[in-house]
Amino acid sequence: MKRVFLIVLDSVGIGAMPDAREFADAESCSTMGSISKSPQFSAENLKKLGLGNIDGLAYLGQEPAPRGAFGRLAERSRGKDTTVGHWEIAGLISEKPMPVFPNGFPQELIQAFSKATGRGVLCNKPYSGTEVIKDYGEEHRRTGDLIVYTSADSVFQIAAHEDVVPPEELYRYCRQAREILKGDWGVGRVIARPFAGEYPFYRTPRRHDFSLEPPGRTVLDTLAAAGKQVISVGKIRDIFAGRGITQGVTITGNTDGMEKTLQYARKDFTGLCFVNLVDFDSLYGHRNNVDGYAAALAEFDGWLPGFLEEMGPEDLVMITADHGCDPGDSSTDHTREYVPLLVYGEKVRPVNLGTRVGFCDIAATLAQIFGLAQETEGTSFASQILKEEGL
């Protein structure tokens, strides 16, 4: 194969895993289940690839002759967030959960951060990202103190008004926080959350994530070392702290991300184009916006045929997710769910891959597809999906 497009529909889970209760989630949680009930929902093109044929998704309607290979993936890592989900997709299993701070960050940490930045801190507790700027935005503008908050995920978020703290300065503060947040304080991501306007304020698209560096070798490292292109679209570069990425682009949202992915499909390269479409999670899942979430999936579904037309005979696309974020449950947090796997290409057999134990099977498959020594966790499904001449 020449090119693989790996598209992560951020948080599009398809049903609770057996251990969901261990992660404070209901056994009934299902992102796909919730959004499929919305009048905005449409997934006809995804269903043609085999979405409804995946274990547990028969309620969507099964395709008698699906065009792609299909299955679902269980997560082996002890988490349900962006970082551990993507790391596992790339071949790293996180055996230990990343630290969370349900009561806010320790004063020792906050003092170290204030000393490094020269600014005070507001909030320091778990908070909704849209509500925190409503409640602390005016005080921040008056004092210049930074709004620091967290969530149920392993994150240290810093919100600042762009007129008070320009984005580049905010990014510098995030880098300083990243240096402090190690060891027992080693959260998965430090996130810059710039906002603007007048009360009640609005968040701008200049968010930036500063992740821990992956603790081991990923398939991205292996691909890059072998001279393949590893292209990041969206926050992939941030999630892997730049490791194994040869080039990439930022995006302003799903629509922009799909357009930039389409542009890469029209370019000549050899390797992997790794895409994250974050609006499902950030705009709709965390906001419990079922109809908005459903409409976003319908937009992706409508975009898909035009993208597939750009694929060549040596290309394939994998569509998956990194965790759930059920907009129909009572929580605004991520949910511990299976994720879908759809694979399509001229050389792909339309087979049922069943339920696979590990997102990391994607990494092992990528290594085999590109003829590289398998240096990752997981079991390749390349021989199951590729016609003999495609191996």
Side-chain angles (χ1 to χ4, degrees), residues 257-289:
M258 289 184 284
E259 175 58 31
K260 287 176 176 172
T261 302
L262 189 61
Q263 291 173 13
Y264 275 115
R266 292 168 177 162
K267 295 179 180 180
D268 183 36
F269 69 89
T270 299
L272 174 69
C273 181
F274 198 171
V275 182
N276 175 280
L277 300 178
V278 72
D279 285 357
F280 301 109
D281 186 54
S282 62
L283 296 186
Y284 308 115
H286 287 302
R287 306 278 83 81
N288 292 123
N289 185 342

Side-chain angles (χ1 to χ4, degrees), residues 56-71:
L57 294 187
Y59 61 84
L60 294 177
Q62 295 184 316
E63 178 69 26
R67 299 175 63 197
F70 54 90

Side-chain angles (χ1 to χ4, degrees), residues 65-269:
R67 299 175 63 197
F70 54 90
R72 68 177 180 178
L73 304 174
E75 186 165 15
R76 283 172 54 184
S77 296
R78 297 299 295 172
K80 56 175 183 176
D81 62 64
T82 295
T83 301
V84 299
H86 281 77
W87 284 3
E88 184 168 329
I89 287 169
L92 289 181
I93 307 299
S94 301
E95 303 285 356
K96 181 181 177 182
M98 292 183 175
V100 293
F101 296 88
N103 299 311
F105 299 100
Q107 280 305 306
E108 182 183 358
L109 189 164
I110 293 298
Q111 289 167 4
F113 176 67
S114 289
K115 182 178 179 181
T117 62
R119 290 182 182 266
V121 166
L122 300 172
C123 186
N124 185 29
K125 63 180 81 169
Y127 232 99
S128 157
T130 51
E131 293 301 312
V132 79
I133 58 176
K134 290 180 183 177
D135 292 350
Y136 292 93
E138 292 287 13
E139 186 176 357
H140 158 72
R141 293 180 77 185
R142 186 174 67 254
T143 64
D145 294 345
L146 300 170
I147 303 170
V148 172
Y149 64 106
T150 188
S151 72
D153 296 331
S154 183
V155 292
F156 183 97
Q157 305 188 83
I158 311 171
H161 196 288
E162 293 190 353
D163 290 345
V164 178
V165 180
E168 287 302 325
E169 186 176 355
L170 178 57
Y171 301 157
R172 178 164 58 85
Y173 294 153
C174 287
R175 293 186 187 97
Q176 290 170 322
R178 183 72 277 172
E179 286 299 311
I180 295 167
L181 291 160
K182 296 179 178 179
D184 291 342
W185 295 344
V187 296
R189 289 176 293 158
V190 176
I191 307 177
R193 292 288 196 176
F195 64 96
E198 301 295 325
Y199 184 85
F201 307 116
Y202 61 90
R203 298 202 291 193
T204 73
R206 285 171 281 278
R207 163 187 171 156
H208 193 64
D209 292 25
F210 299 80
S211 293
L212 281 174
E213 188 168 321
R217 188 177 181 85
T218 73
V219 73
L220 310 186
D221 297 316
T222 302
L223 286 166
K228 308 295 185 184
Q229 290 275 43
V230 181
I231 298 166
S232 159
V233 177
K235 63 180 183 177
I236 298 297
R237 184 192 292 274
D238 292 343
I239 292 167
F240 291 91
R243 275 259 308 274
I245 306 297
T246 61
Q247 64 173 287
V249 289
T250 58
I251 62 175
T252 58
N254 280 7
T255 302
D256 186 39
M258 289 184 284
E259 175 58 31
K260 287 176 176 172
T261 302
L262 189 61
Q263 291 173 13
Y264 275 115
R266 292 168 177 162
K267 295 179 180 180
D268 183 36
F269 69 89

Side-chain angles (χ1 to χ4, degrees), residues 334-349:
H334 292 158
T335 39
R336 177 80 167 178
E337 298 184 47
Y338 291 105
V339 300
L341 175 65
L342 296 171
V343 189
Y344 175 80
E346 189 172 308
K347 296 184 177 180
V348 173
R349 296 189 187 104

